[in-house]
Amino acid sequence: MKLKNKITILITGGAGFIGSNLCEYFLNKDYNVICLDNFATGHKHNVETFIENNNFKLIEGDIRNIDDCRKSVQGVDYVLHQAALGSVPRSINDPATTNDVNVTGFLNMLIASRDAKIKRFIYAASSSTYGDSEALPKVEDVIGKPLSPYAITKYVNELYAEIFSNTYGLETIGLRYFNVFGKNQDPNGAYAAVIPKFVMQLMNLESPKINGDGNYSRDFTYIDNVIQMNELAMNTKNNEAINTVYNVAYGDQNTLNNLVESLKNNLSIYNPSIMNVEVEYGPNRIGDIPHSLASIDKAKKMLGYNPQFSMEQGLIESVKWYWENLKR
Ligand code: NAD
């Protein structure tokens, strides 16, 4: 499959939300793209349109299986490791499976990447690593104690990546994503993320249910900003910019109440009755941090990051996509 003189990227979790957007972007840029996924939370329909593309290869496999990892990294230049089990509540309900996938699977991918001598291993880290630190904005080297099993796994990823850089010379970059949203994000299931879940509820004229009073805030990050950071991390030639971690966010804070207002405004273009849907409030959720806001100074300085989409701009694109693709 590999064409000469083309760069080959392995995207683990490529059938998931972020992974499938990365696959699409890099295929459009004419890279060879390999997707490794076991469809635990990702979907075949997210990668269906790529199957015809000669530059695309789908490997159905599991990162918990080292042989699947070794097979997938053959001939690969860069790994963009996205495969993991997301969701804080999922990890509270089943910490062992989250640990197997997010820690053992991660370690397998590092070992396979080291042995295959890939050029750089870029991985999805998480803002959950800031844990109980109340400092705002979040700066990369000031973290607190993890608040969930999921947060532990993402922090352990960073520790392993650093050891692999220092011990084996594997180039790594961790990207601490902050509440990413955009097309292909799954609105279904008990562990759906807040934006797609609320969009679906509002589209169906059902009340979105907010945990808490709606004043918790997040740095909601549109998928295109995340793609930009993956590309910058892959291409940087600056040796001081590697073997470290970066916040990936827009650098702005919005409360959940702001978010719902904005979703209602954007969706009412398609159906004005959505403006009248009321929000329901419930108790706060265990493991949720009250506020999250990223400093993106390090990414700007070291990698030239320049995010193009605010939450508002990203929501316009996302809402349009959900309306056109998932409105029943
Ligand atoms: P997602 O669930 O849509 O994608 C994860 C993908 O990994 C899925 O396609 C799933 O099938 C695959 N996968 C899971 N277990 C696997 C296994 N054992 N072997 C092979 N593939 C497996 O989630 P996402 O939102 O696209 O998240 C991608 C990455 O970004 C994850 O590592 C997640 O922890 C991280 N992250 C996401 C966010 C966010 O806001 N979405 C925030 C912080 C970090």
Side-chain angles (χ1 to χ4, degrees):
M1 161 258 183
K2 185 168 177 183
L3 304 176
K4 279 204 177 106
N5 303 324
K6 269 202 192 187
I7 291 174
T8 298
I9 306 173
L10 168 63
I11 302 176
T12 68
F17 156 48
I18 296 172
S20 62
N21 279 283
L22 287 168
C23 287
E24 179 181 63
Y25 179 81
F26 286 109
L27 282 171
N28 285 340
K29 289 205 109 181
D30 213 24
Y31 288 89
N32 292 321
V33 172
I34 300 171
C35 162
L36 167 65
D37 207 299
N38 71 345
F39 302 105
T41 56
H43 300 285
K44 283 225 166 85
H45 61 74
N46 285 339
V47 289
E48 228 154 41
T49 53
F50 313 144
I51 305 281
E52 300 290 292
N53 189 325
N54 286 333
N55 296 339
F56 182 73
K57 183 173 166 190
L58 175 63
I59 298 178
E60 192 164 345
D62 195 314
I63 56 168
R64 287 169 292 184
N65 177 341
I66 185 80
D67 293 336
D68 288 351
C69 299
R70 289 195 190 285
K71 186 169 120 193
S72 304
V73 292
Q74 273 172 34
V76 164
D77 297 293
Y78 296 94
V79 173
L80 303 182
H81 178 61
Q82 312 300 311
L85 288 177
S87 162
V88 164
R90 186 205 310 273
S91 76
I92 291 171
N93 291 341
D94 184 359
T97 309
T98 296
N99 192 80
D100 282 350
V101 175
N102 296 10
V103 177
T104 306
F106 186 87
L107 182 57
N108 283 341
M109 281 303 306
L110 280 177
I111 292 168
S113 299
R114 175 200 65 187
D115 293 352
K117 299 191 170 37
I118 64 141
K119 292 196 172 81
R120 192 169 294 159
F121 184 89
I122 294 143
Y123 63 97
S126 167
S127 60
S128 63
T129 293
Y130 290 104
D132 67 358
S133 160
E134 286 177 8
L136 286 179
K138 306 293 184 197
V139 179
E140 281 82 347
D141 46 10
V142 183
I143 61 170
K145 278 194 172 174
L147 290 170
S148 67
Y150 171 74
I152 293 177
T153 67
K154 287 292 172 175
Y155 181 45
V156 170
N157 288 176
E158 294 187 8
L159 297 173
Y160 266 125
E162 194 175 349
I163 293 296
F164 269 65
S165 301
N166 295 341
T167 312
Y168 309 113
L170 177 68
E171 292 191 5
T172 68
I173 294 183
L175 301 178
R176 284 185 191 158
Y177 299 156
F178 280 66
N179 292 82
V180 188
F181 68 96
K183 75 170 182 186
N184 292 356
Q185 191 170 27
D186 196 344
N188 301 310
Y191 303 123
V194 66
I195 292 184
K197 189 158 81 184
F198 284 2
V199 171
M200 288 304 277
Q201 287 167 333
L202 288 167
M203 286 200 307
N204 296 323
L205 299 174
E206 291 161 11
S207 294
K209 290 170 196 59
I210 291 185
N211 304 311
D213 64 5
N215 289 318
Y216 275 20
S217 62
R218 295 288 179 266
D219 198 332
F220 292 107
T221 307
Y222 186 56
I223 183 69
D224 285 30
N225 302 331
V226 171
I227 293 171
Q228 185 191 131
M229 270 300 280
N230 275 275
E231 187 169 30
L232 289 168
M234 209 175 86
N235 289 337
T236 186
K237 303 271 183 286
N238 178 359
N239 278 337
E240 286 174 13
I242 61 173
N243 304 336
T244 186
V245 296
Y246 293 94
N247 289 341
V248 181
Y250 184 69
D252 192 14
Q253 213 173 358
N254 278 284
T255 65
L256 288 178
N257 286 328
N258 290 152
L259 169 70
V260 172
E261 270 322 292
S262 181
L263 287 175
K264 281 166 75 169
N265 286 332
N266 280 301
L267 281 162
S268 61
I269 299 167
Y270 304 97
N271 177 359
S273 312
I274 291 174
M275 226 35 218
N276 306 324
V277 177
E278 301 276 345
V279 175
E280 280 176 21
Y281 294 93
N284 282 320
R285 225 171 41 170
I286 306 168
D288 271 351
I289 47 169
H291 299 287
S292 184
L293 166 68
S295 160
I296 53 171
D297 291 351
K298 184 175 172 186
K300 282 181 169 170
K301 181 167 170 240
M302 302 304 290
L303 295 173
Y305 175 54
N306 180 17
Q308 298 296 302
F309 286 83
S310 64
M311 180 190 84
E312 277 296 331
Q313 290 160 321
L315 285 181
I316 296 171
E317 302 296 323
S318 309
V319 159
K320 183 168 183 286
W321 183 84
Y322 280 104
W323 191 271
E324 287 172 357
N325 291 277
L326 296 184
K327 176 77 185 90
R328 276 172 261 154

